[in-house]
Amino acid sequence: MSKHLVIVESPAKAKTINKFIGKDYVVKASVGHVRDLPKSELGVDEESFEPKYEVLEGKEKVVSELRAAAKNADTIYIASDPDREGEAIGWHVMNLLGGDAKKKVRRILFHEITKNAVRKAIEQPGEIDMNKVNAQQARRVLDRLVGYKLSPLLWDKVRRGLSAGRVQSVAMKMIVDREDEIKAFVPEEYWSFAARLSGNTPPPFTAKLSKVDGKKADVPNEAQARAIEAALKSGQFVVAEIARKEKKQSAAPPFITSTLQRTAYNRFKYPVKRTMQIAQKLYEGKELGTFGFAGLITYMRTDSVRISDDALGEVRRYIGTKYGDDILPEKPNVYRVKKAAQAQEAHEAIRPTSMELEPEKVKDFLTREEYNLYKMIWDRFVASQMKPALFDVTDVDIANGNLTLRASGEVQKFAGFLAVFQDAPAEDDDEDAEKKNDKALPPMNEGDVLELLDLETKQNFTQPPPRYTEATLVKALEENGIGRPSTYGSILTTIQARDYTYKHDGKFHPTHLGALVVKLLKQSFGDIIDESYTARLEEELDEIEDGKLEWTAAMREFSGKFNKDLARAGKEMTQVKGTGLETEEKCENCGSPMVIKFGRFGEFLACSNYPECKTTKEMAKGDAAEATSDDEQVICDKCGKPMQLKRSRFGQFFACTGYPDCKNTKDPKLMKQAANLPTEPQPPCENCGKEMVLKSGRYGPFYSCSGYPDCKTIRKIGRKGTPPKPTGVKCPSCNEGELVERISRRGVFYSCNRYPKCEFTLNNRPVARECPKCHAPYLLEKETKREGHIEYCNNPECDYRAPIAPPAAANE
C-alpha cells in the first residue's frame, strides 16, 4: 500500500496528528529548524545577499530520517506552523530532501490541531509561499548583518563577548530611556481635597475638588491648600448640577499573541516565554479522556482577531444555550483588523478549537498553568461575542463658593460580557483601581444643601513614569511596531541573558553595561536603534510577505547606510575597554577614584590605580541594593564587623569581613523579607528548646531550629509574612500533624503543618470541640448570609449545624 509522508515541526504535534489520519500516512518531525546560517562566519554574500545555509549541528540524523522516509512516499505534505518561520522551515526541509522528492512536496496549512482541520488541510494542499520564505530570509539576513558586524565593534570598544541585536537593542534603548526619564524626573507638589458628604437620604458619599473659579483645580502648595480647606469648612455645599447618562462598555476581541502575553502576566504573573510554552502545549494537543487526544486552542502566534464562520456559529449557539438569548447580540461582533495583521488575515485569533471542550470538563487532564491559560482564552473568546455591559453613570457638581467638587457614581444595570470575563488591571493602572471604588450616590436634586461629615486635605507629589514590566514592555513594543509577537519572548530573554538588564520586583532595570552600550549605539547608530526606523523595517518585511517589495532591494538599502555608520563608528566611538567608567566613589585603600568595569560575571567596581592597587568591589543591585545604601553599612550580627557584598553562582550575598574567624553570611533577599516579618521573638523550638532562626528556602523565608542537623524542626511563614497560627486541632488525615492557619493570595485557609508530606486542607476554621451528635474530634466555623455565624460537623454523614456567637462577641 502506498504511503504519504507528513512533516511537522514538533514530535508532540506529530504524535497528535498521527492519531487523526489513516495508516496510509507516516508523520515525522523536523524538530524545529533543520538548517541556518553558519555560526563561524557571516554566511551572507554582501553583494547579492545570498544566504549560505548549512545543516544545524545535531540535526544530521533528523535530516537522514526525513530523506529516507521521503524516498518511499508518493506525496510529501509539509505541515510546519502557519507563519513566516514555519514556511521557511518547510522550504528548508523541501530543499534538503533532494530533486526527486521536491517534486512530490505539497504544503498544507491548519490553524488548529483537530481531526477535521487536519483532514481538510490534506484535501486542499497548496505550494510553499515564497513571499513568506523571503520575508523570513530578509529578517534573518538583517539580524545577521547587524549582529555579526556590530558585535566585534563592541568587543573592541567595551568588552569581548558582547553582542548587539537589531531588535533587542531597540528594546534595551526603551528601558534605558525610561530609566533616564525616572532619574530626570522632578516631583511636583499638589494638594487634593475629598469631602465626605451626606444628603437627605443615605448613603454618605465622597466628592473631590475639581475646579477653582471655574478652572481645573491646581493647588501647588500648603498655603493655598489651607486657605481652600478653611473655605470648604466654613462654606455651604449646594448641589449645582446633576448629569445622568448611560455608559456602554464593549467586549474586547479574542486574544492575539501580544494581548495573551500581557493578560497572562497581569493575571497570573506568567513571564512571556512561559505563557508561550504553555500555549504551545495546548495547541499541540492533550489526552482528554472521553474526548480523545486533541488540540485545545488555535495557533497561538497571530496578529489577527478574525474568527471563522464555523467558530462564530458554534460560540453563538453555546452562548444562547448557556447564558440565554438576551445576552447574545443580533449579529456577530466583528473586530477591526490592525494594519500589521493584514498580512496574516488567513490566520484566526487565539480561540478554543471546540465549544464542547469546556474548561471544567477538561480540567482534570491539564496542569494548573494549562487550565488557567485555557480558561482565560475560553472566557475571553466567549465574552467577545456577547452584548456590551451597561452602566448608569451620574456626575454631580457641588458648589461651595467659588469652589466646585465632583462626585461620580456608577451602577451596573446589565452585566453583558462582564458576566464571563473581566480584564485583570495592569499594575500601574491607578485609574482602573479608582473606578472600582465608585459607588452608588444617594438621590439628590439640584439646589439640595449637603452636610459636611469629614474633609481630607492631602499633600501629594507627581510620580515618575513606571519602569517596564514584561506586560508593559510587550505593549510598548507592539505600539511602536517593533518586532512581532512571536519574537517578544526571545527579546525579553536575550536582554537579560546578556547582562544588559535585570528584573527586580518584576520590573526591568538597566545595568551600567546596558546603559553604556545603548549610549554608544545612540552616538553611532542612532537611526538603526530608533523605534520608528525599526518599525519601518517591520513594515518592509510585511510588504515582502505581500509580494510588494523585493527582499534583496530592502537589504541593499539597509546595508548601504549601515556600512557607512559602521565605518564611522570604528573611528569615533568612545573607547571604554581597559579604562572603565569613572564614578565619584574613592578607593578605600589608596583613595584613587573607583571605576566601573565589565567582567565575564557582570559589572564591578575597581580601583583606577590598577595594577598598583588591585582593590575591587561588588556592585549591589536588586535586593542587595535595597538592603543597603551608600551611607548604611551592613553589620555582622555575630561579631559586629562590617559585611561585604560578594557574588557566588547563586547570586549576590553579604559576607563578614572577619572571615575566616567569622563565616557569617546574609542573603539580601532574606534581609528584605525579614523587614516585613513580625518583630516579636519566636518561641523556642518545641522539640529541643533551642533558638529558632530565620532562613530562606526556594519557597521563601522560614524559621529553623538552631540545633540543625540534630534537630530539624521548622516553622513555615505565610505569604503575608505571618507565621502559621496553630488551631489546636490534630490533622484528621495523617493523625501526626496539627492544623494551622495560613495565608495565600486567595485569603485564609487551614492545612496540616507537615505539608508537603501531608496535603490536607480546609477552607473554614477548625475548632477543637467535639461534635455533640457524632462525637467527631473537631467542628468547623463559618459565616453565611442566611444563617450568620454557625458551627457544623465536617463528617459528611453527620448533619449537625448550629448558630454561634460571632468571634468578636465570643471573645468578650
Side-chain angles (χ1 to χ4, degrees), residues 118-278:
V118 172
R119 289 182 174 176
K120 187 176 179 180
I122 291 175
E123 291 169 3
Q124 300 175 343
E127 304 296 330
I128 295 287
D129 186 342
M130 285 308 299
N131 288 334
K132 274 189 177 180
V133 173
N134 288 336
Q136 192 276 341
Q137 285 196 107
R139 178 185 290 279
R140 191 71 190 92
V141 169
L142 271 176
D143 292 343
R144 177 54 67 98
L145 289 174
V146 173
Y148 269 56
K149 289 192 168 188
L150 202 49
S151 296
L153 181 65
L154 294 178
W155 297 0
D156 181 53
K157 301 293 185 179
V158 184
R159 173 174 68 81
R160 186 170 182 81
L162 294 182
S163 58
R166 180 180 62 86
V167 179
Q168 292 91 335
S169 296
V170 183
M172 191 61 234
K173 172 185 174 292
M174 292 168 65
I175 294 172
V176 172
D177 286 348
R178 178 59 57 88
E179 195 70 20
D180 290 341
E181 287 179 54
I182 293 170
K183 289 178 180 177
F185 182 81
V186 179
E188 293 184 3
E189 181 183 4
Y190 70 97
W191 289 72
S192 60
F193 304 83
R196 187 74 171 159
L197 303 169
S198 69
N200 296 325
T201 58
F205 63 97
T206 299
K208 297 180 180 179
L209 181 68
S210 60
K211 294 180 181 179
V212 178
D213 292 325
K215 298 179 181 179
K216 183 179 178 182
D218 181 13
V219 186
N221 55 60
E222 185 173 3
Q224 291 185 30
R226 296 308 173 196
I228 290 174
E229 180 183 47
L232 286 172
K233 287 182 176 179
S234 61
Q236 189 177 57
F237 293 86
V238 180
V239 177
E241 185 179 350
I242 300 175
R244 295 183 177 89
K245 60 182 177 180
E246 182 181 84
K247 188 181 80 171
K248 183 186 294 186
Q249 182 181 345
S250 298
F255 283 124
I256 59 174
T257 307
S258 59
T259 54
L260 176 70
Q261 293 167 344
R262 282 157 36 197
T263 308
Y265 181 86
N266 288 333
R267 184 166 290 194
F268 304 116
K269 290 296 176 283
Y270 294 162
V272 167
K273 184 177 180 181
R274 183 63 186 144
T275 295
M276 297 309 290
Q277 289 172 340
I278 301 166

Side-chain angles (χ1 to χ4, degrees), residues 14 27 62 103 134 150 158 263 361 404 442 507 532 558 601 605 620 625 629 726 771 785:
V27 186
V62 171
K103 299 175 183 177
N134 288 336
L150 202 49
V158 184
T263 308
K361 291 181 181 178
T404 304
K507 293 182 171 64
S532 59
F558 172 84
F601 299 115
L605 285 169
S629 61
C771 175
K785 289 184 178 179

Side-chain angles (χ1 to χ4, degrees), residues 317-548:
R317 287 191 295 272
Y318 174 84
I319 293 169
T321 301
K322 181 155 186 175
Y323 297 100
D325 291 336
D326 62 328
I327 205 170
L328 189 66
E330 290 183 13
K331 296 180 180 179
N333 294 331
V334 178
Y335 297 94
R336 186 171 59 88
V337 178
K338 293 189 301 182
K339 182 180 178 182
Q342 288 174 357
Q344 298 190 42
E345 191 52 13
H347 288 205
E348 284 193 65
I350 304 170
R351 62 166 177 83
T353 57
S354 171
M355 298 310 293
E356 293 182 7
L357 302 175
E358 290 185 278
E360 296 307 315
K361 291 181 181 178
V362 300
K363 183 176 182 179
D364 292 342
F365 306 100
L366 306 177
T367 66
R368 181 170 60 88
E369 290 182 326
E370 289 168 350
Y371 170 76
N372 286 344
L373 202 67
Y374 180 57
K375 188 174 189 308
M376 193 176 77
I377 293 168
W378 175 283
D379 289 346
R380 173 94 165 216
F381 175 59
V382 171
S384 73
Q385 289 304 317
M386 288 181 163
K387 285 183 178 179
L390 299 178
F391 299 87
D392 280 332
V393 178
T394 303
D395 290 327
V396 180
D397 283 344
I398 300 160
N400 187 323
N402 67 331
L403 307 173
T404 304
L405 297 89
R406 170 162 287 194
S408 296
E410 184 176 282
V411 177
Q412 185 186 95
K413 68 176 187 178
F414 179 66
F417 76 94
L418 292 176
V420 175
F421 184 85
Q422 296 187 44
D423 268 322
E427 288 183 355
D428 303 311
D429 194 352
D430 295 330
E431 184 179 344
D432 189 79
E434 194 172 311
K435 285 179 182 175
K436 291 192 172 184
N437 292 326
D438 286 345
K439 296 181 180 179
L441 298 174
M444 285 181 282
N445 297 303
E446 292 180 5
D448 284 355
V449 177
L450 306 174
E451 180 186 355
L452 177 64
L453 302 177
D454 185 38
L455 178 64
E456 180 188 57
T457 303
K458 186 178 179 182
Q459 182 189 37
N460 307 280
F461 292 92
T462 53
Q463 297 298 310
R467 292 183 175 90
Y468 288 112
T469 64
E470 289 209 5
T472 55
L473 184 55
V474 164
K475 184 179 181 181
L477 290 169
E478 183 183 30
E479 289 176 345
N480 283 283
I482 298 167
R484 284 293 176 260
S486 58
T487 65
Y488 292 157
S490 62
I491 291 171
L492 302 191
T493 300
T494 303
I495 59 178
Q496 294 175 80
R498 291 175 177 172
D499 201 32
Y500 291 158
T501 183
Y502 65 94
K503 277 199 300 185
H504 180 57
D505 287 341
K507 293 182 171 64
F508 284 100
H509 296 246
T511 61
H512 289 90
L513 177 62
L516 172 64
V517 169
V518 167
K519 179 182 177 182
L520 297 178
L521 292 179
K522 274 185 178 181
Q523 290 173 353
S524 302
F525 303 92
D527 51 357
I528 287 177
I529 68 166
D530 178 71
E531 289 91 334
S532 59
Y533 182 81
T534 306
R536 174 58 194 148
L537 284 179
E538 294 293 346
E539 290 176 2
E540 289 186 356
L541 294 175
D542 290 339
E543 290 171 9
I544 293 169
E545 182 173 340
D546 290 340
K548 298 176 181 177

